[in-house]
Amino acid sequence: MKELEFPFDAELILKKKKSLKKTLLAKENAAFIDKRIAILGGETTQDIKQILELFLLNYGIRPSFYESEYNQYYEDGMFPNQKLEEFAPDIIYICTCIRNILVFPDMGDDKQAADEKLNACVGKFMGLWDRLLTTYKCPIIQNNFEYPFFRLMGNKDASDYHGRVNFVTMLNCKFYEYAQCHEGFYICDINYLAASYGLDKWSTPYYWHMYIGICETPQSA
């Protein structure tokens, strides 16, 4: 489908996603491969799911989805989950972002304290991945983390162990080490995509808070 060929017109795809899906499903002589995809989200994933569906359909893959509640990626994957077990995913996608890093080094931390925070964050994710691989025995795709859209320490944020840029870099490297040692575990390089798009546009706080406000506003019957 022309609309789904590179370079993409993102606004057009979002605007026409329902009609594009209808057209893709109506292809004559289409022999779709069915896949069950679980999206465990640390952020809002509804639009991601819908756009992912279009591109998969365009490649002859008809997905069905399990989608976690907002920011329940860890709870859904780490603890017994009858719905997810019954869904029996073929692929699990863990869609997280920098806002899911709950603890960063403080300026008063020494190197040992900063390392302990890094190891705690790495350990949380590795525990999740180990359980998912053992329980569901399917490929796992994990976002790495984009850089923060501000640097409290300026250029030094990248090299000083107190810096958030430094922390994210070290954390991503730990993710890559895990991927190198585990078959069926893959990294979605959000860090690169965010940099390519532009961090100022990728993480604009105005749109983040506006979207959260819309989602939390009670809807009339």
Side-chain angles (χ1 to χ4, degrees):
M1 178 176 284
K2 183 178 180 181
E3 291 86 347
L4 301 178
E5 295 176 0
F6 187 83
F8 314 118
D9 185 335
E11 291 186 6
L12 176 66
I13 293 174
L14 285 170
K15 182 179 179 179
K16 298 180 61 178
K17 58 188 175 185
K18 290 184 178 179
S19 62
L20 292 174
K21 177 181 176 180
K22 184 177 181 180
T23 300
L24 288 167
L25 288 171
K27 280 185 178 180
E28 293 186 8
N29 303 318
F32 289 109
I33 300 172
D34 291 314
K35 289 293 180 181
R36 298 180 299 276
I37 301 174
I39 301 178
L40 307 185
E43 53 187 322
T44 305
T45 57
Q46 182 66 26
D47 286 338
I48 293 173
K49 180 186 74 174
Q50 293 177 349
I51 300 304
L52 177 61
E53 182 179 29
L54 293 179
F55 281 88
L56 289 172
L57 286 171
N58 193 47
Y59 279 95
I61 300 170
R62 181 170 51 199
S64 56
F65 290 98
Y66 171 96
E67 187 177 13
S68 70
E69 296 293 332
Y70 175 78
N71 200 22
Q72 293 296 301
Y73 74 97
Y74 185 80
E75 290 80 0
D76 269 15
M78 193 65 180
F79 303 113
N81 187 332
Q82 184 178 352
K83 289 185 178 180
L84 185 55
E85 291 171 6
E86 292 175 351
F87 182 72
D90 295 307
I91 299 171
I92 296 174
Y93 173 37
I94 305 173
C95 184
T96 48
C97 69
I98 193 172
R99 288 179 171 86
N100 297 121
I101 302 176
L102 302 180
V103 178
F104 284 95
D106 297 318
M107 291 305 297
D109 288 342
D110 59 17
K111 184 63 165 61
Q112 180 178 348
D115 287 344
E116 287 174 355
K117 289 180 177 179
L118 175 65
N119 292 333
C121 188
V122 172
K124 175 182 177 180
F125 277 94
M126 287 188 177
L128 173 63
W129 303 332
D130 288 344
R131 187 181 189 282
L132 291 174
L133 287 170
T134 300
T135 303
Y136 300 102
K137 298 178 174 60
C138 68
I140 296 172
I141 302 171
Q142 167 71 59
N143 284 0
N144 60 7
F145 292 104
E146 76 277 20
Y147 286 130
F149 56 90
F150 61 90
R151 300 180 301 168
L152 291 177
M153 303 178 67
N155 285 328
K156 199 173 181 181
D157 213 81
S159 58
D160 192 291
Y161 64 80
H162 298 102
R164 294 194 172 195
V165 172
N166 181 271
F167 190 86
V168 169
T169 299
M170 299 297 290
L171 184 58
N172 282 341
C173 286
K174 294 292 185 181
F175 280 30
Y176 307 150
E177 290 175 8
Y178 187 94
Q180 292 163 9
C181 300
H182 292 80
E183 288 189 20
F185 181 86
Y186 305 93
I187 297 294
C188 178
D189 194 0
I190 292 297
N191 191 326
Y192 176 86
L193 295 177
S196 179
Y197 185 70
L199 286 174
D200 290 342
K201 293 184 292 183
W202 181 272
S203 299
T204 304
Y206 171 79
Y207 290 109
W208 171 271
H209 293 293
M210 183 176 68
Y211 191 85
I212 293 299
I214 292 172
C215 291
E216 292 179 350
T217 301
Q219 300 296 312
S220 58

